[in-house]
Amino acid sequence: MSTDLTRSASYPQLALSLLDRAKQQGATDAEVMVADGETLAVQVRLSAVDRLTKAREKRLGLRVFVGHRSAVTSTSDFSRDSLAQLVSDTCSLARAVVEDDKSGLPDASQLAKDLPDLDLYDDTRLSIEQQIELARTCEQAALSADPRITNSEGADFDWSTGRVFLVSTRGFAGDYQASNYSLAVSPVARDGETGGMQRDSWYAVQRKFAKMESAESVGLEAARRTVRRLGGRKGPTKRVPVVFDQECAGSLLGNLCGAVSGYALYKGASFLVGRLGERLAPDYVTVHDDGRMVGGLGSKPFDGDGLPTRKNTILDRGMLKSYLLDTYSGRKLGMPSTGNAARSVGDSPGVGPTNFYMVPGTKTAEHIIESVKDGLYVTELIGFGINMVTGDYSRGAAGFWIENGELAYPVEEITIASNLKNMFANIELVGSDLRFRGRIACPTLKIAEMTVAGS
């Protein structure tokens, strides 16, 4: 008779029993990951509840090695019979795949020994009514901010919490708990004279509910960003300085993050292959990835291989000092892991950033804009026109034309183009306004010159 093992055994005990069973069936190594959690998401549009989702789930992933052959499977069925079949199937799959001499668990000496509390969890539980009210308050603040705000694409409040367990035959056993709260709204504005419409949005994300910006402030900022886009037109075509706001600068830093990923590097799909130790940017540009930032949105005490996360310096005063590696990509490149293995329950590890950020400078965003006589301030990027092999960069954009140090008029339907190597080499100013709203964050940046294609 089938029995739900979680009724009688804790996750670590359950994991150890599955590892023992895998070893009995020929596995040379194995690991079990268990994740359980809850999510509650609400969306309101014009005060009416448009979407409401609530879920509670648990999943178990099993990775088995038979020598240098491996397989990964997962299930949400925790019954005894189902898990016994999962172990048997995974071992059979592992024996059937092609051997890879770089596959395998990390050495026991590399596994995390210290698992610090990184303050990632908040036990504040909001009722459905409270979340709906916060979303309504946010949307109403945006709608009431300016008579030109005439519509809304909706406001969302999402909450999630979960725990992750990882246990391996190399002796690693660890777990951590985390929570996320987020609020976002997208108002729509109409130009009374031309009838033209514009949309923009704003959002807040935190591990702790008490640290969330107020619903009113999120709505007001979304309204401000939307109204200022009214009257947008194509700008000129010329080579000019380009200022990226925080959000767009974060996107640019995300391109660097992708280029230093071990998987892109060993596949030859990055313009940074073989450039470790070379200068990429001016000496006032430093980039870190810090997996142990207290309360960080990307923080965790151990990575998907069970290795300790840490603070890695990617660019040190402009010099490329480190790639982002997990155990497998590190072996492919002949380098040690940087503790950046990222994975979901049913997949093998890949490489992912933790808290990837550029160290802020001393200039405010206003001072950076004032430094531009004729140029572009980018507030939105569109499309994916980036060749990571060559670094060629061409993306649709919207923002504001800068004349004599001031935002002169909104621009849209333009394209900005350069090469990522040139863009990082020509970072002229780094803003002081670093703020984390995700795992990748960057202050305002000024690139000395790019090609802007408008009218």
Side-chain angles (χ1 to χ4, degrees):
M1 182 176 175
S2 295
T3 303
D4 186 336
L5 291 180
T6 60
R7 293 175 185 167
S8 57
S10 67
Y11 288 152
Q13 290 174 315
L14 172 65
L16 290 173
S17 70
L18 297 181
L19 295 180
D20 285 342
R21 187 183 289 266
K23 296 279 277 188
Q24 291 167 9
Q25 297 188 25
T28 51
D29 263 318
E31 64 179 11
V32 171
M33 174 176 276
V34 182
D36 68 6
E38 294 180 70
T39 60
L40 174 58
V42 302
Q43 182 184 64
V44 301
R45 181 174 177 274
L46 301 177
S47 294
V49 178
D50 211 32
R51 176 174 54 82
L52 176 60
T53 59
K54 189 174 190 297
R56 180 167 191 164
E57 64 178 1
K58 61 186 178 187
R59 291 188 68 207
L60 181 147
L62 175 64
R63 186 161 65 138
V64 162
F65 295 87
V66 178
H68 290 294
R69 306 173 193 271
S70 66
V72 182
T73 56
S74 67
T75 183
S76 57
D77 183 352
F78 280 48
S79 67
R80 189 181 301 275
D81 292 345
S82 171
L83 293 176
Q85 188 64 49
L86 183 80
V87 173
S88 176
D89 291 346
T90 312
C91 290
S92 296
L93 288 169
R95 283 190 286 269
V97 301
V98 175
E99 193 171 45
D100 182 346
D101 64 0
K102 297 297 188 292
S103 72
L105 295 179
D107 293 337
S109 61
Q110 298 175 300
L111 297 170
K113 305 295 189 300
D114 63 321
L115 301 177
D117 180 0
L118 299 176
D119 201 22
L120 308 178
Y121 177 67
D122 182 357
D123 62 4
T124 302
R125 300 175 71 91
L126 302 178
S127 67
I128 294 174
E129 291 74 19
Q130 286 175 308
Q131 290 198 197
I132 291 172
E133 186 56 31
L134 284 166
R136 280 180 174 152
T137 300
C138 181
E139 185 186 51
Q140 191 57 46
L143 290 168
S144 304
D146 192 294
R148 291 170 291 179
I149 302 289
T150 57
N151 205 342
S152 165
E153 293 188 353
D156 299 78
F157 193 101
D158 294 351
W159 163 77
S160 65
T161 184
R163 181 183 290 273
V164 174
F165 297 82
L166 182 64
V167 181
S168 80
T169 51
R170 294 293 174 101
F172 178 78
D175 71 280
Y176 62 92
Q177 195 169 11
S179 56
N180 272 288
Y181 302 82
S182 67
L183 178 63
V185 64
S186 301
V188 178
R190 177 187 290 273
D191 190 317
E193 295 183 1
T194 65
M197 300 179 71
Q198 292 287 349
R199 180 201 65 82
D200 209 321
S201 62
W202 195 238
Y203 64 101
V205 186
Q206 289 289 347
R207 292 283 193 192
K208 300 293 186 73
F209 178 68
K211 292 185 177 181
M212 288 283 287
E213 299 171 33
S214 71
E216 291 85 354
S217 67
V218 174
L220 290 173
E221 176 61 13
R224 185 189 73 84
R225 294 173 66 89
T226 302
V227 168
R228 69 177 183 171
R229 295 182 64 161
L230 289 172
R233 62 182 191 268
K234 288 188 175 182
T237 296
K238 56 171 60 176
R239 290 185 65 80
V240 292
V242 173
V243 179
F244 290 76
D245 76 353
Q246 289 172 302
E247 297 297 303
C248 296
S251 171
L252 188 61
L253 198 60
N255 298 144
L256 176 68
C257 182
V260 298
S261 164
Y263 285 78
L265 291 159
Y266 83 72
K267 293 175 181 175
S270 168
F271 65 94
L272 293 181
V273 172
R275 296 200 62 186
L276 206 58
E278 294 185 14
R279 176 169 294 282
L280 295 186
D283 59 8
Y284 44 82
V285 176
T286 292
V287 174
H288 298 300
D289 182 66
D290 186 358
R292 295 203 167 183
M293 182 183 293
V294 174
L297 291 166
S299 298
K300 49 191 176 184
F302 56 88
D303 75 354
D305 284 326
L307 270 60
T309 51
R310 64 191 197 193
K311 184 175 183 178
N312 294 298
T313 298
I314 309 304
L315 291 186
D316 183 10
R317 289 171 292 176
M319 306 291 287
L320 180 59
K321 288 294 186 181
S322 177
Y323 295 139
L324 295 183
L325 305 170
D326 65 349
T327 298
Y328 182 78
S329 64
R331 286 172 180 162
K332 295 288 281 187
L333 293 168
M335 299 175 183
S337 170
T338 57
N340 283 97
R343 62 185 296 188
S344 59
V345 170
D347 295 317
S348 297
V351 165
T354 55
N355 301 292
F356 194 88
Y357 67 97
M358 184 178 292
V359 174
T362 58
K363 300 291 186 183
T364 65
E366 291 75 18
H367 282 137
I368 292 176
I369 292 170
E370 287 173 3
S371 73
V372 178
K373 184 177 180 181
D374 184 35
L376 176 67
Y377 179 52
V378 180
T379 60
E380 183 177 3
L381 291 167
I382 305 160
F384 304 94
I386 304 169
N387 185 330
M388 293 301 289
V389 178
T390 64
D392 288 342
Y393 184 98
S394 177
R395 299 192 66 182
F400 298 85
W401 202 259
I402 305 171
E403 291 179 348
N404 299 316
E406 295 183 351
L407 302 184
Y409 56 88
V411 293
E412 59 187 5
E413 298 181 22
I414 58 175
T415 301
I416 57 174
S418 183
N419 183 284
L420 287 169
K421 288 176 282 191
N422 295 332
M423 292 168 70
F424 281 100
N426 290 300
I427 292 175
E428 194 170 287
L429 290 172
V430 178
S432 58
D433 51 351
L434 177 69
R435 185 158 189 184
F436 283 89
R437 290 190 179 83
R439 291 187 299 165
I440 299 176
C442 189
T444 299
L445 287 183
K446 178 186 177 184
I447 308 296
E449 189 174 77
M450 294 180 68
T451 299
V452 177
S455 57

